[in-house]
Amino acid sequence: MNRPTHAQESLPEPTTQLTEGWHCLHLYYRVRPNPKGVSLLAGREELISILDPNGPAAPERIQVSVVSGHRADFGIMMMDSDPLKLDAIVQAIRTCSLGEYLEPTYSFVSISEVSEYVPTVEQYAARLQHEGTSPDDPSYSAKVKAYEQRLPMMNKQRLYPEFPNWPVICFYPMNKIRHPMANWYQEPFSNRSAMMAEHATSGIKYAGRVSQLITASTGFDDWEWGVTLWGRSPEYIKDIVYTMRFDKASARYAEFGSFYIGYVMSTSDLCDHLRLT
Ligand code: 76R
């Protein structure tokens, strides 16, 4: 999370938009009993249209998933520059004819960001040297150049991400702890940065198998970050979360909330699965 330095000269226009990045909202619902067997077909069509990624009120990104376990029956994840566009979806769901059959069970409010631990080109070059690559080595300038070319695209994916079309989605909130004996926020930046570099190295090994989106939530929700992971298959989610438990940044400093594991599908398949008939 970048600690901002605010220029004194001019105040920006009041706005609900972010300077960079999008608002993010994770929603979880449980389907309520329908003991009288009221037909839900009309409500189902309303829900499909509310969540239509190509609909007139659609946010920039929206994805639904069936959630395993009793914590929720399904989840919705969405992102947009306008927080009220995201909230409008919440209100549309609540007031549609299916609304009374959908019990909200959890939500998580956050925003996208470029972490302060993403190395700048200069920091990346310094790290290469620190790891023993001499600036005279031809691989040094090739690596620095490649990073320089990759960085803008990587930052775009962090701020305005495409959601991977993979079948498995996992969400959980997390904090870095402030225990007197292990306080992340009292570690100097250099230590935190080194721990996050170790963390990133263990994450990169899952490239192509797991895609991650870290959204920031200090001031927006009860936890400091939301972790959204998409998996090419379910075991990669288990593997990466387990592997990271050994990274110092997680082993010593992380605490986690509830985990939501889900399976991505279209809203119409989701309605079939949830027996909204
Ligand atoms: O964004 C980047 O790829 C640069 C390196 C990187 C940063 C800065 C990175 C890489 N992460 C960063 C920041 Mn991460 N990440 C988590 C979790 O379960 C756990 O133990 C932790 C939950 C996972 C699974 C994960 C995966 N990361 C962060 C931050 C913000 C810290 C801050 O700003 O103060 C958190 C909370 C966090 C947590 N991380 C990666 C991954 C993976 C898979 C990568 C490699 C990504 C890639 O290069 O494709």
Side-chain angles (χ1 to χ4, degrees):
M1 199 153 303
N2 284 311
R3 260 181 292 165
T5 45
H6 291 300
Q8 294 298 312
E9 322 82 61
S10 66
L11 286 169
E13 281 301 304
T15 176
T16 57
Q17 315 257 321
L18 302 164
T19 315
E20 55 171 21
W22 279 338
H23 293 268
C24 181
L25 185 58
H26 290 73
L27 300 171
Y28 292 92
Y29 289 93
R30 182 180 295 139
V31 180
R32 288 201 172 108
N34 175 15
K36 292 191 182 135
V38 173
S39 170
L40 302 178
L41 286 174
R44 168 201 169 107
E45 291 313 310
E46 287 172 56
L47 187 68
I48 290 172
S49 120
I50 292 164
L51 302 179
D52 180 358
N54 303 309
E60 293 282 354
R61 300 285 181 270
I62 184 159
Q63 193 178 62
V64 298
S65 53
V66 162
V67 174
S68 269
H70 280 161
R71 222 160 257 165
D73 287 316
F74 71 100
I76 304 166
M77 176 182 181
M78 40 187 182
M79 295 185 83
D80 197 87
S81 59
D82 181 356
L84 292 173
K85 206 162 176 178
L86 302 182
D87 196 68
I89 303 278
V90 180
Q91 305 314 331
I93 295 171
R94 184 177 59 80
T95 52
C96 82
S97 66
L98 205 58
E100 62 179 306
Y101 296 100
L102 302 178
E103 176 194 348
T105 58
Y106 188 58
S107 65
F108 195 80
V109 183
S110 58
I111 57 176
S112 58
E113 68 164 0
V114 176
S115 160
E116 65 185 300
Y117 306 109
V118 172
T120 61
V121 176
E122 294 71 31
Q123 286 165 339
Y124 178 81
R127 197 170 283 172
L128 282 180
Q129 289 188 46
H130 183 73
E131 286 164 3
T133 314
S134 153
D136 304 328
D137 192 323
S139 78
Y140 174 88
S141 53
K143 280 185 181 164
V144 173
K145 201 161 174 225
Y147 187 74
E148 193 168 12
Q149 282 172 350
R150 221 167 50 232
L151 192 58
M153 266 159 53
M154 285 160 66
N155 284 343
K156 186 165 177 247
Q157 178 60 18
R158 291 171 183 123
L159 292 169
Y160 311 102
E162 296 289 342
F163 290 1
N165 199 10
W166 284 352
V168 189
I169 182 167
C170 171
F171 173 77
Y172 54 99
M174 71 174 281
N175 287 336
K176 291 281 168 63
I177 63 168
R178 299 188 306 276
H179 186 276
M181 302 303 289
N183 187 334
W184 176 259
Y185 295 91
Q186 288 186 328
E187 287 295 326
F189 179 78
S190 56
N191 286 0
R192 284 180 278 129
S193 202
M195 286 187 266
M196 291 310 290
E198 182 206 32
H199 161 82
T201 308
S202 89
I204 288 161
K205 297 192 181 114
Y206 287 85
R209 295 183 179 84
V210 175
S211 178
Q212 117 278 28
L213 178 68
I214 306 302
T215 49
S217 43
T218 41
F220 282 69
D221 215 313
D222 294 349
W223 297 80
E224 293 165 358
W225 291 276
V227 180
T228 306
L229 305 174
W230 287 271
R232 195 179 269 282
S233 74
E235 64 266 36
Y236 297 138
I237 302 290
K238 188 271 291 174
D239 290 348
I240 193 173
V241 175
Y242 181 71
T243 302
M244 288 194 167
R245 293 290 154 107
F246 295 92
D247 297 347
K248 197 172 180 193
S250 297
R252 192 166 161 79
Y253 295 103
E255 64 178 353
F256 304 99
S258 290
F259 285 69
Y260 288 80
I261 186 93
Y263 300 97
V264 175
M265 59 185 79
S266 69
T267 310
S268 126
D269 288 350
L270 178 112
C271 290
D272 287 346
H273 180 87
L274 299 176
R275 303 180 189 201
L276 298 173
T277 52

